[in-house]
Amino acid sequence: MASGPSRTVPCSVLPLLLLLAGVARAAGNFYQDVDITWGDGRGKILGGGDLLTLSLDRASGSGFQSKNQYLYGRFDMQIKLVPGDSAGTVATFYLSSQGSAHDEIDFEFLGNASGQPYTVHTNVYSQGKGGREQQFRMWFDPTADFHTYSVLWNPTHILFYVDGTPIREHRNREAATGVPYLRSQAMRVYASVWDAEEWATQGGRVRTDWSRAPFVASYKGLAASGCASQDAAACANSNGAWMYQELDATALDRLQWVQKNYMIYNYCTDTWRFKDGAPPECASK
């Protein structure tokens, strides 16, 4: 659990607290903040560093990673997804450590045939074990403009946001359940666009129309505020506002609204997959 005082920071005052804490989340510059790590030129930094595009064609996708690693923090990215018939494509924004026992926090955006909605796929891995999927539709067209996708990660919980609205909460229940929480491995921020034709769209039944390639997703406004130390004990005592942020009553209402109206899959309620009962971290308390 977190060291220091336990307190709730209402979402409405978070920007002010971040400024007071000296960790303002002003958008950075892609030239300074990331490395394009694969794609043979299919990833491009534009606009003096304000915009980054990732493209996919039949030969390859592309991706980038942050120069810094973080242990706890808040991470925002503005993304405009692949427009039109994007069946078989996956665009991502996620945090991950390295190795077979890695930790990971995922946003994946599963394309679809023209006129059909995107699936926003979320997952949480701890010590190499994932399988904690929740999926959503959005209440807007994510290809028409940029929208902000955010991850907040602190010692007590992980929150997923879309345009400031919480869509998912994953709590630290390690003490009660023995399920490892993400608390010791520093993670980088990653993004990619890649070919998932075999499974992404209706289980692979809708194939990619490669005549429409290249498929391009656009990224801007990366804001990463977190503990960049490799010392887990030091990061556990960070004083960033993200260390104490929780959902207030208004945010909890919004979370419930999204999950009631826009969630299309929740592993915790998948009785076919978990015939002997939901995984222990799904407990409500």
Side-chain angles (χ1 to χ4, degrees):
M1 301 297 286
S3 300
S6 175
R7 50 184 167 151
T8 299
V9 179
C11 296
S12 58
V13 302
L14 181 61
L16 175 60
L17 289 177
L18 286 169
L19 289 170
L20 293 176
V23 288
R25 290 168 30 254
N29 183 289
F30 282 116
Y31 283 117
Q32 299 169 359
D33 297 340
V34 309
D35 294 313
I36 297 175
T37 49
W38 63 286
D40 294 324
R42 292 173 178 81
K44 301 182 186 299
I45 299 176
L46 307 168
D50 294 332
L51 178 69
L52 194 155
T53 60
L54 296 176
S55 68
L56 164 70
D57 57 35
R58 202 175 195 100
S60 180
S62 50
F64 66 85
Q65 68 181 41
S66 64
K67 295 181 184 291
N68 286 334
Q69 300 183 77
Y70 303 91
L71 186 58
Y72 305 130
R74 174 152 178 160
F75 310 90
D76 300 326
M77 184 81 79
Q78 297 177 49
I79 308 172
K80 183 162 66 172
L81 296 176
V82 176
D85 187 343
S86 57
T89 72
V90 173
T92 70
F93 164 52
Y94 64 103
L95 281 72
S96 184
S97 62
Q98 297 298 306
S100 59
H102 71 290
D103 293 342
E104 186 170 319
I105 305 169
D106 291 342
F107 267 112
E108 293 186 296
F109 307 95
L110 312 186
N112 219 327
S114 296
Q116 300 299 311
Y118 259 84
T119 296
V120 178
H121 176 101
T122 66
N123 203 351
V124 176
Y125 286 74
S126 62
Q127 298 293 306
K129 182 182 185 300
R132 302 181 177 101
E133 304 92 345
Q134 291 183 1
Q135 295 182 338
F136 305 84
R137 307 292 194 205
M138 290 296 95
W139 48 94
F140 52 81
D141 178 357
T143 73
D145 204 349
F146 286 91
H147 292 269
T148 302
Y149 303 89
S150 308
V151 170
L152 182 137
W153 167 38
N154 66 29
T156 60
H157 53 258
I158 295 162
L159 296 167
F160 295 77
Y161 292 89
V162 176
D163 288 337
T165 294
I167 66 169
R168 177 176 183 176
E169 180 180 40
H170 177 85
R171 286 196 166 271
N172 178 357
R173 296 193 174 94
E174 183 170 357
T177 66
V179 177
Y181 186 69
L182 293 69
R183 57 185 175 83
S184 62
Q185 300 189 67
M187 298 193 281
R188 296 186 191 274
V189 178
Y190 293 86
S192 59
V193 177
W194 56 284
D195 172 17
E197 182 180 38
E198 297 300 322
W199 66 270
T201 307
Q202 297 181 29
R205 290 189 296 275
V206 180
R207 311 299 283 185
T208 302
D209 182 354
W210 291 107
S211 70
R212 296 177 176 268
F215 302 99
V216 179
S218 300
Y219 294 77
K220 69 178 184 179
L222 170 60
S225 292
C227 181
S229 171
Q230 299 307 296
D231 184 338
C235 287
N237 289 294
S238 298
N239 63 359
W242 30 266
M243 287 292 284
Y244 309 111
Q245 185 184 354
E246 298 178 0
L247 297 178
D248 61 16
T250 299
L252 281 170
D253 285 345
R254 294 292 288 171
L255 174 69
Q256 292 167 3
W257 172 78
V258 170
Q259 295 197 341
K260 177 181 178 181
N261 293 286
Y262 295 98
M263 179 184 282
I264 60 171
Y265 177 79
N266 181 3
Y267 80 107
C268 286
T269 60
D270 189 338
T271 55
W272 181 87
R273 182 176 168 192
F274 300 107
K275 294 180 174 60
D276 296 327
E281 72 271 14
C282 293
S284 59
K285 299 296 183 182

CSV table of all heavy atoms in Angstrom, one decimal, residues 154-209:
chain,number,residue,atom,x,y,z
A,154,ASN,N,-0.9,4.1,-9.5
A,154,ASN,CA,-0.3,4.3,-8.2
A,154,ASN,C,-0.3,3.1,-7.3
A,154,ASN,O,-0.8,2.0,-7.8
A,154,ASN,CB,-0.9,5.6,-7.5
A,154,ASN,CG,-2.4,5.4,-7.1
A,154,ASN,OD1,-2.8,4.3,-6.8
A,154,ASN,ND2,-3.1,6.5,-7.1
A,155,PRO,N,0.1,3.1,-6.1
A,155,PRO,CA,0.2,1.9,-5.3
A,155,PRO,C,-1.1,1.2,-4.9
A,155,PRO,O,-1.1,0.1,-4.5
A,155,PRO,CB,0.9,2.3,-4.0
A,155,PRO,CG,1.7,3.5,-4.4
A,155,PRO,CD,0.9,4.2,-5.4
A,156,THR,N,-2.2,1.9,-5.1
A,156,THR,CA,-3.5,1.4,-4.7
A,156,THR,C,-4.4,1.0,-5.8
A,156,THR,O,-5.3,0.1,-5.7
A,156,THR,CB,-4.3,2.3,-3.8
A,156,THR,OG1,-4.5,3.6,-4.5
A,156,THR,CG2,-3.5,2.7,-2.5
A,157,HIS,N,-4.2,1.6,-7.0
A,157,HIS,CA,-5.1,1.2,-8.1
A,157,HIS,C,-4.5,1.8,-9.4
A,157,HIS,O,-3.7,2.7,-9.5
A,157,HIS,CB,-6.5,1.7,-7.9
A,157,HIS,CG,-6.7,3.1,-7.6
A,157,HIS,ND1,-6.9,3.6,-6.3
A,157,HIS,CD2,-6.6,4.2,-8.4
A,157,HIS,CE1,-7.0,4.9,-6.3
A,157,HIS,NE2,-6.8,5.3,-7.6
A,158,ILE,N,-5.1,1.2,-10.5
A,158,ILE,CA,-4.8,1.7,-11.9
A,158,ILE,C,-6.2,2.1,-12.5
A,158,ILE,O,-7.2,1.5,-12.3
A,158,ILE,CB,-4.3,0.5,-12.7
A,158,ILE,CG1,-2.9,0.1,-12.2
A,158,ILE,CG2,-4.2,0.9,-14.2
A,158,ILE,CD1,-2.5,-1.3,-12.7
A,159,LEU,N,-6.1,3.3,-13.1
A,159,LEU,CA,-7.3,3.9,-13.7
A,159,LEU,C,-7.1,4.1,-15.2
A,159,LEU,O,-6.0,4.6,-15.6
A,159,LEU,CB,-7.7,5.2,-13.0
A,159,LEU,CG,-8.1,5.2,-11.5
A,159,LEU,CD1,-8.1,6.5,-10.9
A,159,LEU,CD2,-9.5,4.5,-11.4
A,160,PHE,N,-8.1,3.8,-16.0
A,160,PHE,CA,-8.1,4.1,-17.4
A,160,PHE,C,-9.1,5.2,-17.6
A,160,PHE,O,-10.3,5.1,-17.2
A,160,PHE,CB,-8.5,2.9,-18.2
A,160,PHE,CG,-7.6,1.7,-18.1
A,160,PHE,CD1,-7.6,0.8,-17.0
A,160,PHE,CD2,-6.8,1.4,-19.2
A,160,PHE,CE1,-6.7,-0.3,-17.0
A,160,PHE,CE2,-6.0,0.2,-19.2
A,160,PHE,CZ,-5.9,-0.6,-18.0
A,161,TYR,N,-8.7,6.2,-18.4
A,161,TYR,CA,-9.6,7.3,-18.7
A,161,TYR,C,-9.7,7.5,-20.2
A,161,TYR,O,-8.7,7.3,-20.9
A,161,TYR,CB,-9.1,8.6,-18.1
A,161,TYR,CG,-9.0,8.8,-16.6
A,161,TYR,CD1,-7.9,8.4,-15.9
A,161,TYR,CD2,-10.1,9.4,-15.9
A,161,TYR,CE1,-7.9,8.5,-14.5
A,161,TYR,CE2,-10.1,9.6,-14.6
A,161,TYR,CZ,-9.0,9.1,-13.9
A,161,TYR,OH,-8.9,9.3,-12.5
A,162,VAL,N,-10.8,8.0,-20.7
A,162,VAL,CA,-11.0,8.5,-22.0
A,162,VAL,C,-11.6,10.0,-21.9
A,162,VAL,O,-12.7,10.2,-21.3
A,162,VAL,CB,-12.0,7.6,-22.8
A,162,VAL,CG1,-12.2,8.2,-24.2
A,162,VAL,CG2,-11.4,6.2,-23.0
A,163,ASP,N,-10.8,10.9,-22.4
A,163,ASP,CA,-11.2,12.3,-22.4
A,163,ASP,C,-11.6,12.7,-20.9
A,163,ASP,O,-12.6,13.5,-20.7
A,163,ASP,CB,-12.4,12.6,-23.3
A,163,ASP,CG,-12.0,12.6,-24.8
A,163,ASP,OD1,-10.8,12.8,-25.0
A,163,ASP,OD2,-12.8,12.4,-25.6
A,164,GLY,N,-10.8,12.2,-20.0
A,164,GLY,CA,-11.1,12.6,-18.6
A,164,GLY,C,-12.2,11.8,-17.9
A,164,GLY,O,-12.4,12.0,-16.7
A,165,THR,N,-12.9,10.9,-18.6
A,165,THR,CA,-13.9,10.1,-18.0
A,165,THR,C,-13.3,8.7,-17.7
A,165,THR,O,-12.8,8.0,-18.6
A,165,THR,CB,-15.1,9.9,-19.0
A,165,THR,OG1,-15.7,11.2,-19.2
A,165,THR,CG2,-16.1,8.9,-18.5
A,166,PRO,N,-13.4,8.3,-16.4
A,166,PRO,CA,-12.9,7.0,-16.1
A,166,PRO,C,-13.7,5.9,-16.7
A,166,PRO,O,-15.0,5.9,-16.7
A,166,PRO,CB,-13.0,6.9,-14.6
A,166,PRO,CG,-14.1,7.9,-14.2
A,166,PRO,CD,-14.0,9.0,-15.3
A,167,ILE,N,-13.1,4.9,-17.3
A,167,ILE,CA,-13.8,3.7,-17.9
A,167,ILE,C,-13.5,2.4,-17.2
A,167,ILE,O,-14.3,1.5,-17.3
A,167,ILE,CB,-13.5,3.6,-19.4
A,167,ILE,CG1,-12.1,3.2,-19.7
A,167,ILE,CG2,-13.9,4.9,-20.1
A,167,ILE,CD1,-11.8,2.8,-21.1
A,168,ARG,N,-12.4,2.4,-16.4
A,168,ARG,CA,-12.0,1.1,-15.7
A,168,ARG,C,-11.1,1.5,-14.5
A,168,ARG,O,-10.3,2.4,-14.6
A,168,ARG,CB,-11.2,0.2,-16.7
A,168,ARG,CG,-10.7,-1.1,-16.0
A,168,ARG,CD,-10.0,-2.0,-17.0
A,168,ARG,NE,-9.7,-3.3,-16.3
A,168,ARG,CZ,-9.2,-4.3,-16.8
A,168,ARG,NH1,-8.9,-4.3,-18.1
A,168,ARG,NH2,-8.9,-5.4,-16.1
A,169,GLU,N,-11.3,0.7,-13.5
A,169,GLU,CA,-10.5,0.7,-12.3
A,169,GLU,C,-10.0,-0.7,-11.9
A,169,GLU,O,-10.8,-1.6,-11.9
A,169,GLU,CB,-11.2,1.3,-11.1
A,169,GLU,CG,-10.4,1.4,-9.8
A,169,GLU,CD,-11.2,2.0,-8.7
A,169,GLU,OE1,-12.4,1.7,-8.5
A,169,GLU,OE2,-10.6,2.8,-7.9
A,170,HIS,N,-8.7,-0.8,-11.7
A,170,HIS,CA,-8.1,-2.1,-11.3
A,170,HIS,C,-7.4,-1.8,-10.0
A,170,HIS,O,-6.4,-1.1,-9.9
A,170,HIS,CB,-7.1,-2.6,-12.3
A,170,HIS,CG,-6.4,-3.9,-11.9
A,170,HIS,ND1,-6.9,-5.1,-12.2
A,170,HIS,CD2,-5.2,-4.1,-11.3
A,170,HIS,CE1,-6.1,-6.0,-11.7
A,170,HIS,NE2,-5.0,-5.4,-11.2
A,171,ARG,N,-8.0,-2.5,-8.9
A,171,ARG,CA,-7.5,-2.2,-7.6
A,171,ARG,C,-6.4,-3.2,-7.1
A,171,ARG,O,-6.3,-4.3,-7.6
A,171,ARG,CB,-8.6,-2.2,-6.6
A,171,ARG,CG,-9.5,-1.0,-6.6
A,171,ARG,CD,-10.4,-0.9,-5.4
A,171,ARG,NE,-11.0,0.4,-5.4
A,171,ARG,CZ,-10.5,1.5,-4.8
A,171,ARG,NH1,-9.3,1.4,-4.2
A,171,ARG,NH2,-11.1,2.7,-4.8
A,172,ASN,N,-5.5,-2.7,-6.2
A,172,ASN,CA,-4.5,-3.5,-5.6
A,172,ASN,C,-5.2,-4.3,-4.5
A,172,ASN,O,-5.5,-3.8,-3.4
A,172,ASN,CB,-3.4,-2.6,-5.1
A,172,ASN,CG,-2.3,-3.4,-4.4
A,172,ASN,OD1,-2.4,-4.7,-4.2
A,172,ASN,ND2,-1.3,-2.8,-3.9
A,173,ARG,N,-5.4,-5.6,-4.8
A,173,ARG,CA,-5.9,-6.5,-3.8
A,173,ARG,C,-4.9,-7.6,-3.4
A,173,ARG,O,-5.3,-8.7,-3.0
A,173,ARG,CB,-7.2,-7.1,-4.3
A,173,ARG,CG,-8.3,-6.1,-4.5
A,173,ARG,CD,-9.7,-6.7,-4.7
A,173,ARG,NE,-10.7,-5.7,-4.7
A,173,ARG,CZ,-11.2,-5.1,-5.8
A,173,ARG,NH1,-10.7,-5.5,-7.0
A,173,ARG,NH2,-12.2,-4.2,-5.8
A,174,GLU,N,-3.6,-7.3,-3.6
A,174,GLU,CA,-2.6,-8.3,-3.4
A,174,GLU,C,-2.6,-8.9,-1.9
A,174,GLU,O,-2.5,-10.1,-1.7
A,174,GLU,CB,-1.2,-7.7,-3.7
A,174,GLU,CG,-0.1,-8.7,-3.5
A,174,GLU,CD,1.2,-8.2,-4.1
A,174,GLU,OE1,1.3,-7.1,-4.6
A,174,GLU,OE2,2.2,-8.9,-4.0
A,175,ALA,N,-2.8,-8.0,-0.9
A,175,ALA,CA,-2.8,-8.5,0.4
A,175,ALA,C,-3.9,-9.4,0.7
A,175,ALA,O,-3.8,-10.4,1.5
A,175,ALA,CB,-2.9,-7.3,1.4
A,176,ALA,N,-5.1,-9.2,0.1
A,176,ALA,CA,-6.2,-10.0,0.4
A,176,ALA,C,-6.3,-11.3,-0.5
A,176,ALA,O,-6.8,-12.3,0.0
A,176,ALA,CB,-7.5,-9.2,0.2
A,177,THR,N,-5.8,-11.2,-1.7
A,177,THR,CA,-6.0,-12.3,-2.6
A,177,THR,C,-4.7,-13.0,-3.0
A,177,THR,O,-4.7,-14.1,-3.6
A,177,THR,CB,-6.6,-11.8,-3.9
A,177,THR,OG1,-5.7,-10.9,-4.6
A,177,THR,CG2,-7.9,-11.0,-3.6
A,178,GLY,N,-3.5,-12.4,-2.8
A,178,GLY,CA,-2.3,-13.0,-3.2
A,178,GLY,C,-2.0,-12.7,-4.7
A,178,GLY,O,-0.9,-13.1,-5.2
A,179,VAL,N,-2.8,-12.0,-5.4
A,179,VAL,CA,-2.6,-11.7,-6.8
A,179,VAL,C,-1.6,-10.6,-6.9
A,179,VAL,O,-1.9,-9.5,-6.4
A,179,VAL,CB,-3.9,-11.4,-7.5
A,179,VAL,CG1,-3.6,-11.0,-9.0
A,179,VAL,CG2,-4.9,-12.5,-7.5
A,180,PRO,N,-0.5,-10.8,-7.6
A,180,PRO,CA,0.6,-9.7,-7.6
A,180,PRO,C,0.1,-8.4,-8.2
A,180,PRO,O,-0.6,-8.4,-9.2
A,180,PRO,CB,1.7,-10.3,-8.4
A,180,PRO,CG,1.5,-11.8,-8.4
A,180,PRO,CD,0.0,-12.0,-8.3
A,181,TYR,N,0.4,-7.3,-7.6
A,181,TYR,CA,0.1,-6.0,-8.1
A,181,TYR,C,1.3,-5.4,-8.8
A,181,TYR,O,2.5,-5.9,-8.6
A,181,TYR,CB,-0.4,-5.1,-7.0
A,181,TYR,CG,-0.8,-3.7,-7.4
A,181,TYR,CD1,-2.0,-3.6,-8.2
A,181,TYR,CD2,-0.1,-2.6,-7.2
A,181,TYR,CE1,-2.5,-2.4,-8.6
A,181,TYR,CE2,-0.5,-1.3,-7.6
A,181,TYR,CZ,-1.7,-1.2,-8.3
A,181,TYR,OH,-2.1,0.0,-8.8
A,182,LEU,N,1.1,-4.4,-9.6
A,182,LEU,CA,2.2,-3.8,-10.3
A,182,LEU,C,2.9,-2.8,-9.5
A,182,LEU,O,2.4,-1.6,-9.4
A,182,LEU,CB,1.7,-3.2,-11.6
A,182,LEU,CG,1.1,-4.1,-12.7
A,182,LEU,CD1,-0.2,-4.7,-12.3
A,182,LEU,CD2,0.9,-3.3,-14.0
A,183,ARG,N,4.0,-3.1,-8.8
A,183,ARG,CA,4.5,-2.2,-7.8
A,183,ARG,C,6.1,-2.2,-7.7
A,183,ARG,O,6.6,-1.6,-6.9
A,183,ARG,CB,4.0,-2.5,-6.4
A,183,ARG,CG,4.2,-3.9,-5.9
A,183,ARG,CD,3.5,-4.1,-4.6
A,183,ARG,NE,3.6,-5.5,-4.1
A,183,ARG,CZ,4.6,-6.0,-3.5
A,183,ARG,NH1,5.7,-5.3,-3.2
A,183,ARG,NH2,4.6,-7.3,-3.1
A,184,SER,N,6.7,-3.0,-8.6
A,184,SER,CA,8.2,-3.1,-8.5
A,184,SER,C,8.9,-3.0,-9.8
A,184,SER,O,10.2,-2.9,-9.8
A,184,SER,CB,8.6,-4.4,-7.8
A,184,SER,OG,8.2,-5.5,-8.6
A,185,GLN,N,8.2,-3.0,-10.9
A,185,GLN,CA,8.9,-3.0,-12.2
A,185,GLN,C,8.6,-1.7,-12.9
A,185,GLN,O,7.5,-1.4,-13.2
A,185,GLN,CB,8.5,-4.2,-13.1
A,185,GLN,CG,8.8,-5.5,-12.5
A,185,GLN,CD,8.5,-6.6,-13.5
A,185,GLN,OE1,9.2,-6.8,-14.5
A,185,GLN,NE2,7.5,-7.4,-13.2
A,186,ALA,N,9.7,-0.9,-13.2
A,186,ALA,CA,9.5,0.3,-14.0
A,186,ALA,C,9.0,0.0,-15.4
A,186,ALA,O,9.4,-1.1,-16.0
A,186,ALA,CB,10.8,1.1,-14.0
A,187,MET,N,8.2,0.8,-16.0
A,187,MET,CA,7.7,0.6,-17.3
A,187,MET,C,7.9,1.8,-18.2
A,187,MET,O,7.9,3.0,-17.7
A,187,MET,CB,6.2,0.3,-17.2
A,187,MET,CG,5.9,-1.0,-16.4
A,187,MET,SD,4.1,-1.5,-16.6
A,187,MET,CE,3.3,-0.4,-15.5
A,188,ARG,N,8.1,1.5,-19.5
A,188,ARG,CA,8.1,2.6,-20.5
A,188,ARG,C,6.7,2.7,-21.1
A,188,ARG,O,5.9,1.8,-21.0
A,188,ARG,CB,9.1,2.3,-21.6
A,188,ARG,CG,10.6,2.2,-21.2
A,188,ARG,CD,11.5,2.0,-22.4
A,188,ARG,NE,12.8,1.7,-21.9
A,188,ARG,CZ,13.8,2.6,-21.6
A,188,ARG,NH1,13.5,3.9,-21.7
A,188,ARG,NH2,15.0,2.2,-21.2
A,189,VAL,N,6.5,3.9,-21.7
A,189,VAL,CA,5.3,4.1,-22.5
A,189,VAL,C,5.6,3.7,-24.0
A,189,VAL,O,6.7,4.0,-24.5
A,189,VAL,CB,4.9,5.6,-22.5
A,189,VAL,CG1,3.7,5.9,-23.4
A,189,VAL,CG2,4.7,6.1,-21.1
A,190,TYR,N,4.7,2.9,-24.5
A,190,TYR,CA,4.8,2.4,-25.9
A,190,TYR,C,3.6,2.8,-26.7
A,190,TYR,O,2.5,3.0,-26.2
A,190,TYR,CB,4.9,0.9,-25.9
A,190,TYR,CG,6.2,0.3,-25.2
A,190,TYR,CD1,6.3,0.1,-23.9
A,190,TYR,CD2,7.3,0.0,-26.0
A,190,TYR,CE1,7.4,-0.4,-23.3
A,190,TYR,CE2,8.4,-0.5,-25.4
A,190,TYR,CZ,8.5,-0.7,-24.1
A,190,TYR,OH,9.6,-1.2,-23.5
A,191,ALA,N,3.7,2.8,-28.0
A,191,ALA,CA,2.6,2.9,-28.9
A,191,ALA,C,3.0,2.2,-30.2
A,191,ALA,O,4.2,2.1,-30.6
A,191,ALA,CB,2.2,4.3,-29.2
A,192,SER,N,2.0,1.6,-30.9
A,192,SER,CA,2.3,0.9,-32.1
A,192,SER,C,1.1,0.8,-33.0
A,192,SER,O,-0.1,1.0,-32.5
A,192,SER,CB,2.8,-0.5,-31.8
A,192,SER,OG,1.9,-1.3,-31.1
A,193,VAL,N,1.3,0.5,-34.3
A,193,VAL,CA,0.2,0.1,-35.2
A,193,VAL,C,0.7,-1.2,-35.8
A,193,VAL,O,1.8,-1.2,-36.4
A,193,VAL,CB,-0.1,1.1,-36.2
A,193,VAL,CG1,-1.2,0.7,-37.2
A,193,VAL,CG2,-0.6,2.4,-35.5
A,194,TRP,N,-0.1,-2.3,-35.7
A,194,TRP,CA,0.4,-3.6,-36.2
A,194,TRP,C,-0.8,-4.4,-36.8
A,194,TRP,O,-2.0,-4.1,-36.6
A,194,TRP,CB,1.1,-4.3,-35.2
A,194,TRP,CG,0.4,-4.6,-33.9
A,194,TRP,CD1,0.1,-3.7,-32.9
A,194,TRP,CD2,-0.2,-5.8,-33.4
A,194,TRP,NE1,-0.6,-4.3,-31.9
A,194,TRP,CE2,-0.8,-5.6,-32.2
A,194,TRP,CE3,-0.3,-7.1,-34.0
A,194,TRP,CZ2,-1.4,-6.6,-31.4
A,194,TRP,CZ3,-0.9,-8.1,-33.3
A,194,TRP,CH2,-1.5,-7.8,-32.0
A,195,ASP,N,-0.4,-5.5,-37.5
A,195,ASP,CA,-1.3,-6.3,-38.2
A,195,ASP,C,-1.8,-7.4,-37.3
A,195,ASP,O,-1.0,-8.3,-36.8
A,195,ASP,CB,-0.5,-6.9,-39.4
A,195,ASP,CG,-1.3,-8.0,-40.1
A,195,ASP,OD1,-2.6,-8.1,-39.9
A,195,ASP,OD2,-0.7,-8.8,-40.9
A,196,ALA,N,-3.1,-7.4,-37.0
A,196,ALA,CA,-3.7,-8.5,-36.2
A,196,ALA,C,-4.8,-9.1,-36.9
A,196,ALA,O,-5.9,-9.4,-36.4
A,196,ALA,CB,-4.2,-7.9,-34.8
A,197,GLU,N,-4.6,-9.3,-38.2
A,197,GLU,CA,-5.7,-9.8,-39.1
A,197,GLU,C,-6.3,-11.1,-38.7
A,197,GLU,O,-7.5,-11.4,-38.8
A,197,GLU,CB,-5.1,-9.9,-40.5
A,197,GLU,CG,-6.1,-10.4,-41.6
A,197,GLU,CD,-5.5,-10.5,-43.0
A,197,GLU,OE1,-4.3,-10.9,-43.0
A,197,GLU,OE2,-6.2,-10.1,-43.9
A,198,GLU,N,-5.4,-11.9,-38.0
A,198,GLU,CA,-5.9,-13.3,-37.6
A,198,GLU,C,-6.9,-13.3,-36.5
A,198,GLU,O,-7.6,-14.3,-36.3
A,198,GLU,CB,-4.7,-14.1,-37.3
A,198,GLU,CG,-3.6,-14.3,-38.4
A,198,GLU,CD,-4.3,-15.0,-39.6
A,198,GLU,OE1,-5.1,-15.9,-39.4
A,198,GLU,OE2,-3.9,-14.7,-40.7
A,199,TRP,N,-7.0,-12.2,-35.8
A,199,TRP,CA,-7.9,-12.2,-34.6
A,199,TRP,C,-8.7,-11.0,-34.3
A,199,TRP,O,-9.7,-11.0,-33.6
A,199,TRP,CB,-7.2,-12.7,-33.3
A,199,TRP,CG,-6.2,-11.7,-32.9
A,199,TRP,CD1,-4.9,-11.6,-33.3
A,199,TRP,CD2,-6.4,-10.6,-32.0
A,199,TRP,NE1,-4.2,-10.5,-32.7
A,199,TRP,CE2,-5.1,-9.9,-31.9
A,199,TRP,CE3,-7.5,-10.1,-31.3
A,199,TRP,CZ2,-5.0,-8.8,-31.0
A,199,TRP,CZ3,-7.3,-9.0,-30.5
A,199,TRP,CH2,-6.1,-8.3,-30.3
A,200,ALA,N,-8.2,-9.8,-34.8
A,200,ALA,CA,-8.7,-8.5,-34.2
A,200,ALA,C,-10.1,-8.2,-34.6
A,200,ALA,O,-10.9,-7.7,-33.7
A,200,ALA,CB,-7.8,-7.4,-34.7
A,201,THR,N,-10.6,-8.5,-35.7
A,201,THR,CA,-11.9,-8.1,-36.2
A,201,THR,C,-12.8,-9.3,-36.3
A,201,THR,O,-12.6,-10.2,-37.2
A,201,THR,CB,-11.8,-7.4,-37.5
A,201,THR,OG1,-10.8,-6.3,-37.4
A,201,THR,CG2,-13.2,-6.8,-37.9
A,202,GLN,N,-13.8,-9.4,-35.3
A,202,GLN,CA,-14.7,-10.5,-35.3
A,202,GLN,C,-14.0,-11.8,-35.3
A,202,GLN,O,-14.3,-12.8,-36.0
A,202,GLN,CB,-15.7,-10.4,-36.4
A,202,GLN,CG,-16.6,-9.1,-36.3
A,202,GLN,CD,-17.6,-9.1,-37.5
A,202,GLN,OE1,-18.1,-10.1,-38.0
A,202,GLN,NE2,-18.0,-7.8,-37.8
A,203,GLY,N,-12.9,-11.9,-34.5
A,203,GLY,CA,-12.2,-13.2,-34.3
A,203,GLY,C,-11.5,-13.6,-35.6
A,203,GLY,O,-11.2,-14.8,-35.8
A,204,GLY,N,-11.2,-12.6,-36.5
A,204,GLY,CA,-10.4,-12.9,-37.7
A,204,GLY,C,-11.3,-13.2,-38.9
A,204,GLY,O,-10.9,-13.5,-40.0
A,205,ARG,N,-12.7,-13.1,-38.7
A,205,ARG,CA,-13.6,-13.4,-39.8
A,205,ARG,C,-13.6,-12.3,-40.8
A,205,ARG,O,-13.9,-12.6,-42.0
A,205,ARG,CB,-15.0,-13.6,-39.2
A,205,ARG,CG,-15.2,-14.9,-38.4
A,205,ARG,CD,-16.6,-15.2,-38.1
A,205,ARG,NE,-17.2,-14.2,-37.2
A,205,ARG,CZ,-17.1,-14.2,-35.9
A,205,ARG,NH1,-16.4,-15.2,-35.3
A,205,ARG,NH2,-17.6,-13.3,-35.2
A,206,VAL,N,-13.3,-11.1,-40.4
A,206,VAL,CA,-13.2,-10.0,-41.3
A,206,VAL,C,-11.7,-9.7,-41.6
A,206,VAL,O,-11.0,-9.3,-40.7
A,206,VAL,CB,-13.9,-8.7,-40.8
A,206,VAL,CG1,-13.8,-7.6,-41.7
A,206,VAL,CG2,-15.3,-9.0,-40.4
A,207,ARG,N,-11.3,-9.9,-42.8
A,207,ARG,CA,-9.9,-9.8,-43.2
A,207,ARG,C,-9.5,-8.3,-43.5
A,207,ARG,O,-10.4,-7.5,-43.9
A,207,ARG,CB,-9.6,-10.7,-44.3
A,207,ARG,CG,-10.1,-12.1,-44.2
A,207,ARG,CD,-9.5,-12.8,-42.9
A,207,ARG,NE,-8.1,-13.2,-43.2
A,207,ARG,CZ,-7.4,-13.9,-42.3
A,207,ARG,NH1,-8.0,-14.3,-41.1
A,207,ARG,NH2,-6.2,-14.3,-42.6
A,208,THR,N,-8.2,-8.0,-43.5
A,208,THR,CA,-7.7,-6.7,-43.8
A,208,THR,C,-7.8,-6.5,-45.4
A,208,THR,O,-7.4,-7.4,-46.1
A,208,THR,CB,-6.3,-6.6,-43.4
A,208,THR,OG1,-6.2,-6.8,-42.0
A,208,THR,CG2,-5.7,-5.2,-43.7
A,209,ASP,N,-8.3,-5.3,-45.8
A,209,ASP,CA,-8.3,-4.9,-47.2
A,209,ASP,C,-7.0,-4.2,-47.4
A,209,ASP,O,-6.9,-3.0,-47.2
A,209,ASP,CB,-9.5,-4.0,-47.5
A,209,ASP,CG,-9.6,-3.6,-48.9
A,209,ASP,OD1,-8.6,-3.9,-49.7
A,209,ASP,OD2,-10.5,-3.0,-49.3
